[in-house]
Structure formats: structure tokens, C-alpha cells
Amino acid sequence: MRQFSYSRPDTLDAAQRIPEHTRYLAGGTNLIDLMKSDVERPKHVVDLNALSMSQIEERPDGGLRIGALATNADTAAHPLVTERYPLLASAILAGASPQIRNRATNGGNLNQRTRCHYFYDPDMACNKRSPGTGCSAKGGRNRIMAILGTSEACIATFPSDMCVALAAMNATVNLTGPEGERSVPLRDYHRLPENTPWQDNILRAGEIVTSIDLPPLSFGPHHTYLKIRDRLSFAFAIVSVAAGLQMENNTIRKACIAMGGVGTKPWCVPEAEALLEGKTPSPSLFRDAADCLLQGAVTDRDNAAKLKLAPRVIIRALSQAAAGTPQSQTQKTIF
Amino acid sequence: MTLHSAKIGQPVSRIDGIAKVTGQARYAAEPHPAGMLYGFIVNSPIARGRIEAIRDEAARAVPGVVEVMTHLNRPHSALFEKSYMDGLGVPGSPYRPLHDAEISFNGQPVAVVLAETFEAAREAAMRLEVDYERWPHNADFEASLHQKYMPGKTRSNYVPPKSRGNAAEAYALSPIKIEGRYHLAPEHHNPMEMHATTVIVEEDGTFTVWDKTQGPQAVQAYLTSALSLSKDQVRVRNPYVGGAFGSGLRAQHNVFLAVLAAKMLNRSVRVTLTRQQMFTHVFRPEAVMDIALGAQPDGTLQSMIVNGVTDTSRFEHNMENLVIWGLINYKCPNATADYKVAPRDTYTSSDMRAPGAATGVNLFEMAIDEMAYACNMDPLDFRLHNYSDIDAMHDMPLTSKALKEAMHEGAERFGWQNRPMAPQSMRDGKDLIGWGMATGIWDAMFSPTSARATLTADGRLHIATAASDIGTGTYTILAQTASEAFGIPMEMIDIELGDSTLPECPTEGGSWTAASAGAAVWLACQSLREKLFKAVGKSGNISAWLTEGLSNNTTVLKDGFLQDKGADENLRLSLSEALSLTGQDRLEVEETAKPGLRGTISQMRKARFTHSAVFCEVRVDEELGIVRVTRLVNAVAAGRIMNPKTAASQVRGAMVMATGMALHEESLMDERVGRFMNHNFSEYHIPAHADIPDMDVLFIAEEDPEVSPLGIKGVGEIGMCGTAAAIANAVFHATGQRHRNLPITPGD
């Protein structure tokens, strides 16, 4: 960790007037870690915690707005979330540990960095950390790396669980910055690495995530967040699937599906969702959806297991959602 | 209220538990001497080469930085390589921190930044610029196998495999054969407490070194030798150790560097490794075992051929007892084994909990399970059918082996008799259920150890020995031992451990501490009691009942009082009263427990081991292949159990570690740079609570007065041996799929 200046503005306006090499601090569960490892080297840390952005409130359209500074724990436990967006609550609870969720915020979750071994180790070449140095993950120990959305420059996954559920539900990210306010669909918020992997998302300098809007959307019991990982708690996903289905007389009216652990961003394929709509759930239908979701997957040295597991996890998750038996995050048996 | 003497064998709770959970127990990184500097180690990013230049201007410019210590400016240390040898006796050229410009492994310390604050030291470390000349290296285990060799000089505890019969011919003639290559990934010890050293420069210029180690006297010996100091210039303390698992057997580079810096600057210094840096030194070696077994159709083993290799560094020959366990534990007329080490450009691999056996027993027991199935025999019956009552490799009787009893009692507790033989025959919903078992074996060792017992004027008993309690419960079992041996309540006993100035005790490890330190404490307490009785008898000024009792040998020491055997409770004398009668303010003895003549003869004529039988249930999601351990039963035959509570905790802890070995733990070597890449707790997966089921630990009655003076065998490692195999075998029973590589991870 290198010396930095610290400020804690109490207005959004002040928080946006920042010099170069600034990082915003919310829960700090990722940023502080990265600073200790010398991966993030901000000259200025601007603490957002004096701003009031932790509200969770209903929207006129029947949706829900969750504040960027609401903690993951408070969000997952909020009655409006547990009652109306259990898929989101489930995805949050599948991630990290209770201690981390107590600190980590929703805005921070969107802006966390990859857990790629090579990104985290300043002795190793990494285009995401040090543009132009190369990608050590390619050809390296890349069991945890992405198989979708990768480029020659980067194969790191975006590690969030929460964002997978947000992507499935087509949430909207609300931003405010020097150029004013804007809203961006979550599916467009994170970037593919292409040849600029250091840009994780579309945030501009001085722009801050203020809240996330969940559309009015109900799956009843027909949803699940299924996460496969190397141990049953406190590990990032090898493959995860957030699925929500609107069912009517055993027909899928609307399908929402996103994947984690396999992509360089929360992975959504609208064609796969369209393919499910209007159909009766069946293993072969789900297999088709899996094929569609995984189109273009590329494996590297160590991560072929992801491609082997992914279709099975997709099929299981869709089966759970169709059956109305969501995966429990406390009872670890997968039904 | 009368306080009663405790007994060996009672489930006493840890006497140091309160100190630990209230933060009173002080660990190596906790003393805070005035003016202490913080040292932060800078590690090499290359595996092999040499330092060309060090530019430290930016590092020195960080406010608070006092010094950047490198090979160029460090104080002198011992000239000869052999001065850096430690007590573990790994042959080769020991690594000498900051010795010269040469780099022999990735992560090698190249500098230590010393600063007034930890933050300044860390920042300066990050700002240090080092240029390297890179030399070709090999860190790939597969590739290193081509260079495997048998070291000319072996480790002192190395047991060479001994062949019998003609294994190759018998194998060729066996109607039933299995053979395969089994593999274990490298693992890191990862104790909760990181390695750390605090060096206090005392007013007289001597060093008090608080170090995370399993052997304070071994570290003292190393420091005096490597830094050319005299014994009275260095005192090493480790009263509390937050786990070690073997990582504290050898003096680690942090202690050398901290003392070197203290010497250079004449200031107190603390050096703490980060969790990432914990992956720059010792680890359990990667291993392969080629195992071929031949049997008759009735399940009688005919031939065992075991060839194993573990990795070591290019500069030291670390060796394990990898290949011998099956040859010792199974009756089989023809057997042969071969062991080699394979060098790669990494730091030297090291002993980690049950070194050799954790790997060798588990991989061999996976092969035995395959053979049982090849013979269409229940795996438990197969093992009973080939049971050996002796050490079959040395053709030597054993002091005891209650493995058969452990197999029967464990099987009964588990419900093994209801097990269908065929794989994939039990299911519940989407889960396949499998039951597997394996046996475990580990040495029962005893090493000469000294202890001091002192009775003070307040009537308290003080016990002192340089043993280390690395979290195992040594304080507690020694207090129990002293309580029973002397006849005094535990509340009146103080135990002092973890200090190089205390009576000699070997480095903690190998499960020998309970048997060895226990015997020393027992002996010292008995001797102190005799001395007390003699002194009281001589004092002249004592009551008639006591004079009579002492001369008739009917006086006993019970619950902290001298009294006559079975006599009136009112006629008794407290220890402080007794001591004051003698006119002395303290009585002290020091004794050394040794095998003695009979013990030495016994050690030559009989082999000694702990044994276990482990039973496991797993659930495996049929489509997803996700494995969950749902039940574990471990029946352990380890001689006399000093404290079933702390002993069961030890076995359970090892079973958790073995679950990690079977399903989670793997240090991922990027051979292109020679670095283990998942160097943090986020990506090096030790099992989480959710991965661990209720574990049932049974201790099998095993009276063995011959194995060690108190009949103790030790329980620190046995839980590792067999547990991982039982899990892997259960996975086969669930799925019908054999895994020969550990860990078995999702997608395998």
C-alpha cells in the first residue's frame, strides 16, 4: 500500500470534483485488499460513506431502487427484496462471507475487480493491471478464468454473484457524474476486455453509481441462483447461473438468464432467453438453451472443466426454476 | 471446596483456552518493545538468476524508512555453509538468506526494508527496484521427473524400503492385477498464524527472539550457528503458536532476517510474513506413486510394487517416507518399493502433517480399494484378509496393533455391514451416495526429553520444559500428567513451555511430544515427590502420624496434601506447610526421560505405530459431479489417550485437513515463473465449515506399556492418514469412477 490522500465529502457534487488517480471507497472489501497487494495505487481515496445512498425504496412503476451504499447484507435481508426479488437475495447470499457482506456495498459489488491470480500479483504481466504488459493468465494456471467474452489481451472473469442476478433481471444502473445523470442497463455496464481490458466498465471519470433499479418483475417461485464452486462456501463461482422464468400453464412466458464464473462480464445471451419463451420446459429445450448460451466458448490450459460443467449447471438451474424449487444458499444440497 | 488431582485420560478442557480467547496469550508478532522497527521482506519475482542491481532511492525516500538490508550491506554471518544446517537434517546446501546475488527460487528474499512503521516498510518494499539477470529454470514437476535421483546422503529419519520375495515375477504371475499412477498436488501448511519474529534487543545487548516455531531450542541452535552468536546471547521464546503443521520445524527465513537486522541496527525488529509470503517457503511436496498390485482371485495379495517420487529444490534433498507404508502394513509375500526425489527450481519442500504417510498411505489405500474391487471383495474384508500382525517390511513384531479392533469398531459405528458392494447402488434424489474406507498408519515415536519440577513456598507446582504447544493441547496434558504423578490439583500447577532456556526438549513434531514430554514430566514429578518426602522426613519437627507414615511408606501425596493412605482427613499437611517444615523455600528436580536399556532393546526388536480405520460417506450429484462429505468415522488405536477431548480435536483437525487434501487444497504452480499462483486464502481453498460434516472419532483401547514410558503413542498426524483415501474410495463407490489424482475438484 502506498501513501494516499483521504477525503470524505458530504455532497455528491464535492465527491465528483476529483483529481486524477482517485479511487472511490465504499465498503473497501476489495479496494483495500488491492491496495495492500500494490495492485491499486491511488493517489487519492474519496470515501463515499458520508453520502446518503443506502436507501431501498419502491418505484412508481412497481420496481425497486436499491441504493449504491446499501450493504450487501442489508439488501439481501430487506423485506422488499426477500419478498419480491428473492433471486437477488439468493445471489447475494451465495457470495463472500457474512462478514464481507456486512461491509460490502451494492455499488462496490458492481465495481469490484477480477480475482485473476495474475491481476492480483504485481510481479506478473497483466494487461488489466498494467496495460500493455501482456496476459499471464493465457497459458498459465487459469482454471478460474473465463471461457466466454475473452480476448487475446485478457481472460479474467468478472467475479460477482450479485451482478449475475441483476443481469438476469435486466436491472438498470443509475449514475451521476460531471456531465450529469444517466442510466445504463446492467447488461451494458460491464465491458468485454477486447484490447482495453483495464476498462472494466463504462464509468467515466468522476462518475458515481448512485443506485440500481430493479424492474417490476415477478417469477413467483420459478427462479434460482445455482453456484458451483471449489468448496461449499466462501469461494468464487466456477460456474453460476441466475434464472427466472415467468410460467403460465407450464409454458415459459418470459425467461431471464445470466451466467457467472464463465464470462469476462455477467454473461447473457438474449437469443437463449428467446429460445425458451413460449415453450414447455424439457431437458432437451434446456440443452438447446445451454448450447446457445455457451456459443463461442473458448477454453485455455486449465479451464476446460468449466465448459464441461456449464451446460449441466444451466440445465439444472433451468430445471430448478421451472419446477419452482429455488436453490437454497444455506442448505447446500442441490436439488 | 477440595480440589482434586486430575488423571491422565480425563477429558479436561484446555487450560490455556481462556488466555487464548481473551487475547492474553502472546504470539510471536505481539511483543512490542520500545523503538521496535518493522521489517518487510521483498521477494524475488524470478526462479533462477542473479541480482544485477538494486536501486533503493525511492524506497529510502519513504518517510520512516531506516534501512534497506540486502546481500550488499548485511552484517556478516557464518562463513561456512554447514553453519546454516538446522536440526531437521535435510541434506544438501541450506538456503542462506541474503547471502549473495544468486536467486535459487521464486519468492526468495532479496531485501528487507526496515522502517518505523509497518506501513512505511511495506510501501518502501513496493518501491524497491531490483534488476535481475534471468537464467533458465525448471519448476515443472512432470519435467523434473526425468532428473529424479536418490540422494547420496539421506535424511536421518529416512526409512529405506526393503524388498521381499520377487515382486516383479509374482506380479506377472498374479491372476488379478491393478496398476496405475497416483498423484498428489502440492499443498501449503497455511497455519492461521503467519510466520513472524519479534527480536527484542535487551539492555545487555542480548537478543530475546519471539518466533513462530515448533522448536525454540532448534531455532536458538540455528541462530547461534548461522550468526556466530554464543548461546547466552540468544533466547528464543514461543509460548504460544497459532498452528504450524510442520511449517515451524525448520528455522524459517523470517527469524534469520529479523535477527540479522537487529544485529545490523542494534534495534528491536519485527518481521511478519504476509499470507501471500506464506507461499514463498515450505510446502508439502507434489508426489507421484506408481503402484502395481497382484492378487489371487480369493483376494490374497501376491505382489506389491510401489515407486514414488516427491519434489525437492535444486539445493537440498528433502525426503519423505513415502513408499514404505503398504509394505509395512500388509501381509504379502512379494513386495518391492523405490523412492526418489525430483529437483526443481523452487524452495525446498518440507514436512507437512504426517509427512510421507499423508501422501503415501492415502495414495496406497486408494490402490488397495481398486484391488479389493478387482477381486470382487468388500474393501474391509480385503484388508482383514491381508492383515499383518507384524511390521511385514522389516519382519519385526510390533509393540501393539489394534487395527483389527479399530476396523471392527469403526465399521460398526458407521454401519458398514449394510453396504452394497456395487458402485452406484445407493442414491437419494439426484445424489449418488457412496461409502468408502481406508486404514491409516503413522509412527509412534519417543525422544529423550527433560523436564523440571519445582515446588514453591506457596505450595504450587511449576513444570518447565522447552516443548512447544502448537495448538495441540500440550499445556493441558502435561498439567494432567503432573497432577496425577505428583498428587496435586491442576489448579495448583503452572506449566511453562516454549522457551529455549528451559530443560531440553526436541522440536515438536511427528506426534512424539505427548509421549516424550509426558514421560519427562511424570518422571520429574515422581522424583520431586520423593525428594519432598525425604526432606520432610529429615526435618525432625513433624507429627507422629507423618513420621510413622514416611517410615512405613504409607504417606501419600493426594489432592495437594501429604496424608496417610486411607487415614483421617484431618491428619494432613498442605504442600506449603510441608515445604516450610523442610526449611527451604523451594524444592526442584530436573529429570530426563530416556528409553533406558529395556526401551532401547525394545526399539531395536519391535516396530511401533499408531493405526486407524476411517469410514466415509459422500454424496455426489450425478450430473454435476459435486462431492460432499456427509459422514466421517475414524477409529484410532493410539495406545493410551491422555485426554480424549484434546486428542479427538487433534484427530478431527487432521480429518479436516485430509478433506482438503481429497477435495480442495492445491497450490497451483505456474512453472513458467516458478511461483505458486493462488497464494492467498481466497484461492487456496481449505475446507469451509459447510464442507465438513459431523465427525465421529473413536479411540480403541490399546494398552501398550512398551511403546513409551507412559504407554502413549501420540495422535497429531494419524487423522491425516487414510482419511483422504476413504473419501476418494467413497467417491468411487458413489459414482463408479476412479480418481487417481488428489484433490478431486468439480469438473474432474
Side-chain angles (χ1 to χ4, degrees):
Chain A
M1 189 179 282
R2 304 181 181 218
Q3 279 193 42
F4 56 90
S5 79
Y6 170 85
S7 62
R8 197 171 193 260
D10 47 18
T11 65
L12 255 179
D13 196 44
Q16 283 162 30
R17 281 183 276 114
I18 51 156
E20 261 192 281
H21 306 295
T22 294
R23 285 287 184 207
Y24 289 120
L25 174 74
T29 57
N30 188 214
L31 177 65
I32 302 297
D33 238 18
L34 290 165
M35 287 167 67
K36 282 156 77 176
S37 298
D38 208 28
V39 175
E40 292 279 7
R41 302 171 182 181
K43 291 207 167 76
H44 311 281
V45 170
V46 175
D47 184 344
L48 299 178
N49 284 293
L51 306 179
S52 38
M53 300 196 298
S54 57
Q55 74 292 350
I56 293 178
E57 59 197 14
E58 290 191 82
R59 302 277 299 145
D61 67 355
L64 199 65
R65 171 164 292 179
I66 56 174
L69 285 176
T71 66
N72 287 174
D74 286 346
T75 307
H78 196 282
L80 287 171
V81 176
T82 54
E83 280 161 29
R84 286 162 49 183
Y85 299 93
L87 173 57
L88 176 62
S90 182
I92 292 173
L93 294 176
S97 68
Q99 292 88 339
I100 291 173
R101 295 194 298 264
N102 285 340
R103 287 293 306 169
T105 65
N106 297 329
N109 190 294
L110 261 59
N111 293 306
Q112 67 181 302
R113 312 299 309 271
T114 181
R115 287 339 189 260
C116 171
H117 311 311
Y118 298 91
F119 173 75
Y120 244 91
D121 187 334
D123 285 339
M124 304 298 296
C126 170
N127 289 322
K128 195 184 264 301
R129 189 189 61 249
S130 312
T133 54
C135 173
S136 311
K138 280 188 81 73
R141 298 315 298 261
N142 52 31
R143 186 167 177 276
I144 66 169
M145 310 302 165
I147 55 174
L148 288 159
T150 58
S151 70
E152 278 305 304
C154 183
I155 61 169
T157 58
F158 178 67
S160 168
D161 289 302
M162 178 184 180
C163 289
V164 180
L166 292 174
M169 293 188 296
N170 268 300
T172 304
V173 185
N174 298 315
L175 307 166
T176 184
E179 293 159 51
E181 297 187 358
R182 60 175 178 145
S183 296
V184 179
L186 187 119
R187 291 185 176 197
D188 300 332
Y189 181 77
H190 296 101
R191 286 187 67 259
L192 292 175
E194 296 170 327
N195 49 12
T196 54
W198 52 93
Q199 292 175 325
D200 288 359
N201 52 52
I202 51 83
L203 266 186
R204 298 170 188 149
E207 224 171 16
I208 292 172
V209 177
T210 54
S211 62
I212 301 158
D213 287 346
L214 307 176
L217 188 67
S218 173
F219 305 117
H222 297 289
H223 65 88
T224 197
Y225 187 71
L226 180 58
K227 177 179 180 181
I228 303 304
R229 49 190 145 177
D230 279 335
R231 61 183 166 193
L232 290 169
S233 175
F234 200 40
F236 290 97
I238 299 172
V239 181
S240 73
V241 175
L245 303 174
Q246 285 180 341
M247 302 290 296
E248 203 179 292
N249 302 326
N250 205 31
T251 300
I252 299 167
R253 283 289 156 232
K254 182 176 171 59
C256 296
I257 181 164
M259 300 185 72
V262 288
T264 50
K265 58 178 280 189
W267 202 251
C268 300
V269 179
E271 293 78 5
E273 291 165 323
L275 179 154
L276 291 162
E277 288 167 1
K279 308 258 174 55
T280 306
S282 74
S284 69
L285 176 69
F286 295 159
R287 193 158 300 121
D288 292 345
D291 289 345
C292 184
L293 271 159
L294 295 168
Q295 223 160 58
V298 180
T299 63
D300 204 273
R301 171 182 158 168
D302 283 349
N303 62 0
K306 285 194 177 187
L307 191 53
K308 181 175 157 191
L309 278 169
R312 303 173 190 190
V313 183
I314 296 164
I315 292 165
R316 181 68 64 82
L318 287 170
S319 308
Q320 288 181 334
T325 54
Q327 177 62 40
S328 163
Q329 299 304 344
T330 48
Q331 164 55 249
K332 304 283 182 177
T333 302
I334 300 168
F335 292 103
Chain B
M1 189 187 77
T2 309
L3 296 170
H4 294 288
S5 307
K7 289 228 158 35
I8 293 176
Q10 288 173 340
V12 178
S13 293
R14 271 162 209 275
I15 59 172
D16 50 339
I18 299 287
K20 282 185 171 173
V21 298
T22 56
Q24 304 299 304
R26 290 222 291 177
Y27 292 81
E30 293 186 315
H32 206 292
M36 181 183 82
L37 295 175
Y38 294 81
F40 198 93
I41 295 171
V42 180
N43 307 96
S44 160
I46 69 165
R48 220 178 134 253
R50 60 187 303 279
I51 299 168
E52 280 183 330
I54 297 179
R55 290 186 304 281
D56 61 5
E57 300 78 17
R60 287 182 185 272
V62 174
V65 169
V66 172
E67 187 55 270
V68 178
M69 182 172 74
T70 68
H71 68 283
L72 298 168
N73 65 355
R74 64 166 173 82
H76 287 296
S77 58
L79 286 175
F80 298 109
E81 198 174 80
K82 69 171 179 7
S83 304
Y84 297 80
M85 290 288 231
D86 57 45
L88 211 64
V90 176
S93 308
Y95 162 59
R96 292 174 282 173
L98 299 188
H99 182 71
D100 56 23
E102 192 167 329
I103 302 296
S104 312
F105 60 95
N106 192 312
Q108 178 178 325
V110 295
V112 182
V113 178
L114 295 137
E116 303 287 350
T117 64
F118 173 75
E119 288 74 15
R122 180 173 59 185
E123 174 164 2
M126 289 165 176
R127 291 182 185 276
L128 190 74
E129 294 167 44
V130 184
D131 296 336
Y132 298 92
E133 179 184 302
R134 287 161 194 264
W135 298 343
H137 72 268
N138 175 50
D140 180 22
F141 183 60
E142 274 299 311
S144 74
L145 290 177
H146 301 296
Q147 297 184 331
K148 67 183 179 196
Y149 65 96
M150 182 65 194
K153 183 172 184 288
T154 60
R155 271 184 71 173
S156 55
N157 62 349
Y158 179 67
V159 179
K162 203 175 152 212
S163 300
R164 55 185 187 260
N166 187 334
E169 191 183 281
Y171 178 73
L173 294 173
S174 290
I176 299 182
K177 299 183 181 109
I178 66 119
E179 61 108 13
R181 170 164 282 201
Y182 299 79
H183 173 259
L184 178 74
E187 300 180 322
H188 277 77
H189 303 68
N190 274 315
M192 189 156 39
E193 178 200 20
M194 273 85 79
H195 278 265
T197 307
T198 305
V199 182
I200 302 168
V201 179
E202 305 287 358
E203 279 179 17
D204 61 1
T206 62
F207 301 114
T208 301
V209 180
W210 288 66
D211 187 41
K212 181 208 177 74
T213 174
Q214 294 170 236
Q217 290 171 331
V219 170
Q220 185 200 35
Y222 170 78
L223 290 173
T224 52
S225 170
L227 290 165
S228 310
L229 297 164
S230 70
K231 225 175 164 182
D232 51 13
Q233 283 177 289
V234 189
R235 174 185 180 189
V236 179
R237 304 195 61 189
N238 66 331
Y240 293 97
V241 182
F245 313 119
S247 66
L249 286 171
R250 310 188 70 178
Q252 297 301 338
H253 59 244
N254 50 287
V255 69
F256 178 89
L257 293 171
V259 179
L260 195 68
K263 217 178 147 186
M264 181 176 187
L265 303 170
N266 195 29
R267 286 180 70 171
S268 298
V269 170
R270 176 188 299 160
V271 175
T272 310
L273 299 192
T274 62
R275 180 59 66 188
Q276 284 82 353
Q277 288 174 329
M278 290 292 288
F279 289 79
T280 62
H281 62 159
V282 289
F283 58 94
R284 190 195 295 283
E286 187 163 358
V288 287
M289 281 170 80
D290 292 319
I291 303 173
L293 302 174
Q296 294 294 338
D298 70 350
T300 307
L301 275 172
Q302 291 299 301
S303 177
M304 305 191 286
I305 302 169
V306 185
N307 297 316
V309 185
T310 57
D311 74 53
T312 187
S313 64
R314 198 77 68 177
F315 46 93
E316 283 178 310
H317 321 290
N318 182 44
M319 306 175 70
E320 290 196 333
N321 289 321
L322 180 75
V323 295
I324 56 174
W325 303 99
L327 275 65
I328 289 170
N329 211 17
Y330 286 93
K331 189 162 79 183
C332 176
N334 307 286
T336 189
D338 179 67
Y339 173 72
K340 296 220 168 23
V341 296
R344 52 176 173 173
D345 294 296
T346 62
Y347 188 61
T348 312
S349 62
S350 185
D351 292 342
M352 178 168 161
R353 206 173 198 173
T359 311
V361 172
N362 282 311
L363 296 182
F364 189 81
E365 285 288 303
M366 288 158 63
I368 284 287
D369 198 73
E370 285 192 40
M371 186 41 122
Y373 269 85
C375 297
N376 197 25
M377 249 174 112
D378 176 89
L380 178 64
D381 293 342
F382 181 84
R383 286 172 171 87
L384 287 166
H385 184 70
N386 293 289
Y387 192 86
S388 173
D389 289 308
I390 60 167
D391 170 349
M393 187 173 85
H394 295 108
D395 195 18
M396 229 174 157
L398 300 161
T399 59
S400 61
K401 181 177 181 177
L403 175 57
K404 207 172 262 178
E405 292 79 358
M407 285 164 147
H408 289 307
E409 287 183 41
E412 191 176 323
R413 179 71 65 92
F414 184 84
W416 185 262
Q417 66 277 10
N418 300 321
R419 179 182 186 270
M421 176 77 186
Q424 285 188 299
S425 53
M426 297 192 289
R427 57 177 78 224
D428 175 25
K430 292 189 161 58
D431 281 343
L432 294 164
I433 296 172
W435 290 0
M437 64 90 52
T439 58
I441 175 171
W442 177 251
D443 296 307
M445 292 185 271
F446 172 78
S447 308
T449 300
S450 304
R452 183 167 65 223
T454 311
L455 182 66
T456 50
D458 54 3
R460 294 186 71 82
L461 174 66
H462 303 264
I463 300 293
T465 172
S468 308
D469 186 334
I470 62 168
T472 52
T474 307
Y475 280 105
T476 309
I477 57 164
L478 294 185
Q480 280 174 272
T481 306
S483 181
E484 181 177 333
F486 195 62
I488 183 174
M490 282 179 67
E491 290 79 358
M492 293 169 68
I493 300 174
D494 302 304
I495 307 277
E496 201 184 347
L497 307 176
D499 188 330
S500 61
T501 60
L502 300 179
E504 233 171 282
C505 180
T507 297
E508 200 281 347
S511 296
W512 58 62
T513 298
S516 310
V521 169
W522 181 271
L523 206 59
C525 288
Q526 294 221 315
S527 165
L528 181 67
R529 191 183 55 202
E530 277 166 34
K531 189 171 179 177
L532 173 68
F533 282 12
K534 220 173 268 174
V536 170
K538 273 196 212 150
S539 71
N541 189 21
I542 53 173
S543 315
W545 66 266
L546 192 53
T547 317
E548 207 171 299
L550 286 169
S551 61
N552 295 342
N553 279 331
T554 54
T555 300
V556 293
L557 184 48
K558 193 180 163 229
D559 302 335
F561 291 92
L562 276 72
Q563 57 195 81
D564 216 50
K565 211 181 279 175
D568 189 344
E569 282 248 327
N570 296 321
L571 292 180
R572 61 181 200 179
L573 193 66
S574 76
L575 282 167
S576 56
E577 290 166 327
L579 189 63
S580 76
L581 284 178
T582 68
Q584 303 182 52
D585 63 351
R586 61 199 285 128
L587 274 185
E588 188 165 285
V589 299
E590 187 174 323
E591 294 286 350
T592 302
K594 294 181 214 141
L597 184 61
R598 275 172 59 186
T600 307
I601 293 170
S602 161
Q603 284 185 356
M604 280 156 50
R605 292 193 178 155
K606 290 187 181 175
R608 44 207 71 218
F609 299 103
T610 50
H611 299 92
S612 69
V614 195
F615 298 83
C616 172
E617 178 184 271
V618 298
R619 297 175 79 106
V620 184
D621 187 289
E622 191 172 11
E623 290 157 20
L624 303 174
I626 307 301
V627 179
R628 289 180 61 199
V629 179
T630 47
R631 271 199 304 145
L632 275 173
V633 173
N634 199 343
V636 176
R640 187 178 187 190
I641 299 303
M642 303 190 82
N643 178 333
K645 195 170 180 178
T646 53
S649 291
Q650 284 236 69
V651 176
R652 274 196 295 268
M655 290 162 74
V656 171
M657 202 176 238
T659 304
M661 174 181 268
L663 300 175
H664 308 286
E665 294 186 43
E666 175 170 16
S667 301
L668 298 168
M669 166 59 68
D670 187 329
E671 68 291 331
R672 300 172 304 173
V673 288
R675 178 171 287 196
F676 292 111
M677 285 313 302
N678 53 336
H679 45 54
N680 55 59
F681 265 174
S682 170
E683 298 300 334
Y684 181 91
H685 294 130
I686 58 172
H689 286 289
D691 297 296
I692 301 300
D694 281 341
M695 292 179 290
D696 209 347
V697 177
L698 291 72
F699 290 110
I700 306 305
E702 190 178 59
E703 251 185 71
D704 186 346
E706 205 175 334
V707 69
S708 68
L710 297 180
I712 294 159
K713 286 184 170 180
V715 292
E717 353 259 321
I718 188 67
M720 284 302 298
C721 307
T723 304
I727 294 169
N729 295 343
V731 170
F732 166 75
H733 187 235
T735 63
Q737 191 191 342
R738 281 286 174 200
H739 293 274
R740 290 170 170 172
N741 296 324
L742 298 183
I744 303 165
T745 54
D748 279 355

